[in-house]
Amino acid sequence: MTTVQSIWLSLNSINALSGATKFVGMENYVNLVTGDRFPLVFTNTVFFVAAFSILNIAVAMGIALLLNNRLRGVNIFRAAVFIPALVTMVAWALVSRFILQPEGLLDFLVSFTGAEEIPWLRSRWLTLTVIVFVQLTKNVGINVLLCLAGLQAVDRELLEAAETDGAGRWARFRHVTIPQVSPTLFMVFLLTVVASFKVFEVILILTNGGPGYETNVLSFMIYDEAFRRHDFGEASALAVILLLMIIVVSSALWAIRKKLVYAEND
Amino acid sequence: MRRRIIGATALVATAALVAGCAGPSGSSGGDGSSGEPVELRFLLWATNPDQLALFDELGEEFVAANDDVSKVTFESVTLSDLNTLLPTWLASNSPPDASWLPVESSIEYMNAEALVDLNPTLKEADGYDYEDLADRMQEPWREGDAQFGVPFSNGPLIMYYNKDLFAQSGLEDPSAAVEAGTWDWDLLREDLQKISADSGKTGLIFDAFEFKNWVRMLPLIRAYGGTPWDEGGEECLMDSPEMEAAYTALHEMVYDEKITPRPGQQADFWGGGAATTIAYLGSNGLLADVDFEYGVVPTPAGPGGAGQHVGQSAMVAYSAGKHTDAAARLVAYLTNPESMRKLSAYYPPSRTSLLNAETMEASAPVLDAAQLEPILTAVLENGTFTPVAPNNAETTAALNAALDQFVYGEDADIPAALQQVCAAIQPTLGG
């Protein structure tokens, strides 16, 4: 119902304060796509989703592999990795901003290398990368646990059989572990992709979408259009575009899952 | 294969549609047409429990005096939340009956016919003394004979300073400079460079500015004689020589003199981390917890004179509300002489009879009349309100973003950058 309402709103020019609406068809979409901000924001969104999703799955799997060993005290590390996931994103972002500020802790550490001060939060690609990193450190713990659960479900007999057949560590990982864990990895990746389209708090707190619109993404632009500019028509159009992007990307991933997930055809 | 992809796409789309099936929350309250007493909702951004208690008390008095009203609920939110909630509620036709509203939003709300004309109600209210409302302060809310809001708070942006840091650097106290008539930005910048060099502390913090709230620059802008757009809000004047001088001064203070924080840099005056801050008079309560000697003075003068900026908020009633008559009477009650006298314990009032240092002293419990006298003089002689644009929300968002993109960077070429700012905001102005 709400989605249908959003689609309808996106086809109207809305004066939020007077409540007046006027049907304008695709005008909001045309204004957005031909405007200065949309190409920049769209590119930023694609970059963030791609970088965050791929890095997240790689880092989560890497840490899960490390934590899957039977070492003394491994449970302490398992808990430590998960702790950031229990903190609110707002608190995490505020602490990150304190560390990343000019002449802050990170600049202090970098100064020992003799490097110039780095504008962590005042550029485009570097800042987007920093945002990816902050979001990653906060959320990777949940995916680590999911990957760890997947790893612990791997059939030990298969691994032992492969070892008996002379398969090395890499071969066992490539041909036994990965296929067994692939359904978990796929679901984790799919959920991460969908979630990363909706990144918001970290942008609001770290950069406010700036400098200018350099680190703005679609979900933040929706907020900006609706609640700062009072343009509910364009905000709804953006929301519809975001919904379509999520549907297209998740459908595409779903469509190629048979190539990615072991035994999906069975 | 293709059929399966289409099927999967349809499945995901259906799931997304189903996931969005949480309907909007309904509006509250009846329409009062049944003759039953109505309940009024009033939105404000007060957080102090004493202030909220006073509003509750005034609300109860209003209910006792009006048989057709059974209850007044005062809902407190932050100002930024108010700016988010009001348009949303108005768009969904379920606004509060009345609220506080900052002056920046006045024209936009008035043009949208979102506000009730309070004039007849105010003039008919017993003992209201309409003529006592200070004309100059009502201007933003008046259109011909109509009056769409009653200002209840007129708080100046003032300079708080750490006396200890000035004394340690052997500098003259700013209050002495005010008395001598030498209190200007050049003197302040000179002093702050010395303090920063001596103590390693930040010189000046524009409170709540953080390079994303251009309004907090107005003390500097006004001192250089600048204004962001013309009187009617039609033509961008961000690239005027006065604005160029003001933003050049800011750029020099940030990057050359290093006396005010850079974008993203955090510092705190109230914790003793800076020599001065420019904040609203209403922030003076924070002085109660500081561990240094402090003083307050008007913001410094500049080439454009002593530009004392005054922030203003009014009480308004919403035409889309369900009880517009009762809401208008509530605003009249809350701004009558007796209520405003009580409210002036917290908010600098807009009634001529209450505009004096004694009343301001009551609203600034940490400061005394002697400290406030020069500020009141500055407000009355040179006070200017926030410039208002017809499409304020859009203009403000565009202006903050453009300044952030073009002006606030270390390598900014200020004259060229301000031209880019004008190019960015001109389409949002009325012209």
Side-chain angles (χ1 to χ4, degrees):
Chain A
M1 193 63 217
T2 308
T3 311
V4 172
Q5 202 170 21
S6 290
I7 293 168
W8 172 245
L9 289 176
S10 75
L11 302 173
N12 284 272
S13 168
I14 300 155
N15 184 325
L17 304 184
S18 69
T21 61
K22 182 179 154 211
F23 184 79
V24 293
M26 298 300 285
E27 194 179 297
N28 287 325
Y29 293 90
V30 173
N31 288 346
L32 278 172
V33 175
T34 57
D36 294 338
R37 283 185 295 152
F38 185 77
L40 181 77
V41 172
F42 181 84
T43 312
N44 288 349
T45 306
V46 170
F47 171 83
F48 183 87
V49 170
F52 179 73
S53 305
I54 293 165
L55 267 177
N56 196 309
I57 197 79
V59 171
M61 188 62 187
I63 295 173
L65 284 167
L66 290 173
L67 296 178
N68 196 34
N69 293 306
R70 292 196 181 116
L71 300 170
R72 275 180 67 179
V74 75
N75 284 335
I76 295 169
F77 288 103
R78 287 175 184 175
V81 165
F82 190 65
I83 283 170
L86 303 175
V87 179
T88 65
M89 188 68 234
V90 171
W92 194 258
L94 284 169
V95 171
S96 302
R97 193 177 70 171
F98 181 77
I99 293 167
L100 293 161
Q101 68 175 312
E103 295 176 21
L105 179 62
L106 195 57
D107 277 345
F108 175 73
L109 295 174
V110 166
S111 69
F112 288 110
T113 67
E116 293 269 307
E117 203 174 278
I118 298 166
W120 303 108
L121 300 177
R122 294 294 297 175
S123 58
R124 186 183 178 190
W125 298 113
L126 171 65
T127 305
L128 280 168
T129 307
V130 165
I131 292 167
V132 166
F133 182 79
V134 170
Q135 184 90 0
L136 180 77
T137 50
K138 160 77 178 71
N139 288 337
V140 77
I142 293 170
N143 288 351
V144 168
L145 282 193
L146 292 169
C147 291
L148 191 58
L151 284 172
Q152 296 193 334
V154 171
D155 193 336
R156 297 265 152 214
E157 287 180 10
L158 282 176
L159 286 167
E160 285 163 13
E163 196 172 1
T164 306
D165 290 344
R169 186 179 288 237
W170 169 248
R172 291 201 303 276
F173 176 72
R174 168 76 182 80
H175 297 291
V176 179
T177 305
I178 288 288
Q180 294 274 302
V181 181
S182 60
T184 306
L185 287 179
F186 178 76
M187 280 317 296
V188 166
F189 186 69
L190 185 62
L191 292 171
T192 304
V193 166
V194 172
S196 61
F197 272 106
K198 297 183 285 185
V199 60
F200 178 77
E201 307 100 309
V202 66
I203 305 262
L204 177 70
I205 290 164
L206 285 186
T207 66
N208 201 37
Y213 306 105
E214 301 281 286
T215 57
N216 208 327
V217 291
L218 274 170
S219 57
F220 191 80
M221 194 174 169
I222 292 169
Y223 161 80
D224 190 52
E225 285 293 336
F227 302 122
R228 287 184 178 166
R229 297 168 189 259
H230 300 173
D231 193 336
F232 284 68
E234 284 198 7
S236 300
L238 279 167
V240 171
I241 290 169
L242 183 62
L243 175 68
L244 289 174
M245 282 176 75
I246 293 172
I247 289 171
V248 167
V249 172
S250 51
S251 301
L253 284 171
W254 191 252
I256 61 167
R257 75 189 185 287
K258 287 175 186 165
K259 291 191 172 69
L260 303 171
V261 178
Y262 175 72
E264 186 64 25
N265 287 314
D266 297 351
Chain B
M1 179 68 185
R2 182 184 293 178
R3 196 183 300 173
R4 285 186 188 177
I5 293 172
I6 292 167
T9 306
L11 186 72
V12 175
T14 306
L17 288 168
V18 170
C21 274
S25 57
S27 56
S28 60
D31 60 6
S33 58
S34 61
E36 289 292 307
V38 299
E39 293 186 10
L40 297 177
R41 276 172 68 218
F42 191 107
L43 205 65
L44 38 70
W45 58 85
T47 51
N48 181 322
D50 296 338
Q51 295 170 13
L52 289 168
L54 175 57
F55 270 98
D56 285 335
E57 182 190 312
L58 292 170
E60 283 165 20
E61 288 173 11
F62 177 75
V63 169
N66 291 268
D67 295 339
D68 60 336
V69 180
S70 62
K71 191 179 178 186
V72 180
T73 305
F74 292 95
E75 292 176 22
S76 184
V77 296
T78 64
L79 177 55
S80 60
D81 280 350
L82 179 117
N83 287 330
T84 301
L85 289 166
L86 275 178
T88 310
W89 281 336
L90 285 162
S92 60
N93 212 23
S94 56
D97 297 289
S99 82
W100 292 359
L101 197 65
V103 70
E104 298 91 293
S105 302
S106 57
I107 293 179
E108 191 172 19
Y109 278 67
M110 284 154 63
N111 286 351
E113 297 178 358
L115 306 178
V116 174
D117 176 11
L118 302 165
N119 186 307
T121 311
L122 300 179
K123 286 186 170 168
E124 286 168 17
D126 285 344
Y128 191 79
D129 193 4
Y130 186 81
E131 301 309 316
D132 187 37
L133 295 175
D135 279 341
R136 207 164 129 265
M137 293 181 171
Q138 314 300 313
E139 274 171 20
W141 303 95
R142 284 178 176 169
E143 213 170 62
D145 287 338
Q147 172 138 1
F148 295 98
V150 184
F152 71 98
S153 178
N154 301 275
L157 273 171
I158 62 174
M159 179 161 278
Y160 298 83
Y161 63 96
N162 183 324
K163 277 176 176 277
D164 296 343
L165 289 175
F166 276 84
Q168 283 162 22
S169 290
L171 296 166
E172 180 187 49
D173 194 273
S175 59
V178 172
E179 249 176 81
T182 57
W183 181 234
D184 64 12
W185 279 96
D186 289 344
L187 174 64
L188 175 70
R189 286 165 65 177
E190 214 174 287
D191 285 357
L192 295 182
Q193 285 175 76
K194 183 159 182 15
I195 290 172
S196 287
D198 292 349
S199 67
K201 297 198 175 188
T202 303
L204 165 65
I205 296 169
F206 291 92
D207 185 62
F209 168 51
E210 294 184 339
F211 295 88
K212 56 186 181 189
N213 181 4
W214 79 272
V215 168
R216 295 305 184 112
M217 275 296 111
L218 279 166
L220 182 67
I221 289 169
R222 296 302 200 193
Y224 279 86
T227 185
W229 44 76
D230 64 347
E231 193 74 31
E234 294 189 346
E235 188 194 349
C236 175
L237 299 176
M238 286 297 295
D239 54 358
S240 66
E242 293 83 3
M243 292 301 268
E244 194 182 308
Y247 278 98
T248 300
L250 174 67
H251 196 268
E252 287 169 355
M253 285 191 278
V254 173
Y255 294 109
D256 301 340
E257 298 158 13
K258 295 184 168 56
I259 54 174
T260 194
R262 281 180 287 159
Q265 207 165 14
Q266 297 168 53
D268 177 38
F269 169 80
W270 315 101
T276 61
T277 188
I278 293 177
Y280 280 111
L281 175 63
S283 299
N284 75 88
L286 295 167
L287 292 170
D289 299 322
V290 303
D291 58 358
F292 53 83
E293 286 292 306
Y294 56 81
V296 293
V297 283
T299 51
Q308 180 61 61
H309 171 69
V310 181
Q312 188 190 70
S313 297
M315 295 192 202
V316 300
Y318 292 98
S319 48
K322 293 177 177 62
H323 323 292
T324 51
D325 176 58
R329 279 184 283 126
L330 175 63
V331 172
Y333 187 83
L334 293 174
T335 58
N336 71 25
E338 182 55 20
S339 297
M340 202 175 272
R341 189 189 59 73
K342 289 178 183 173
L343 290 171
S344 66
Y346 304 106
Y347 313 106
S350 63
R351 284 184 169 273
T352 309
S353 59
L354 296 169
L355 283 169
N356 51 61
E358 288 70 32
T359 306
M360 279 181 83
E361 185 179 15
S363 72
V366 182
L367 304 172
D368 58 38
Q371 289 171 307
L372 290 163
E373 190 67 55
I375 292 168
L376 182 66
T377 304
V379 168
L380 294 175
E381 288 179 2
N382 311 303
T384 53
F385 294 122
T386 313
V388 182
N391 306 307
N392 187 68
E394 197 179 350
T395 303
T396 298
L399 178 55
N400 281 325
L403 285 167
D404 189 28
Q405 186 168 6
F406 304 123
V407 176
Y408 295 150
E410 187 166 6
D411 302 327
D413 170 4
I414 299 296
L418 289 172
Q419 284 177 2
Q420 289 173 294
V421 170
C422 264
I425 72 162
Q426 186 59 56
T428 73
L429 293 170

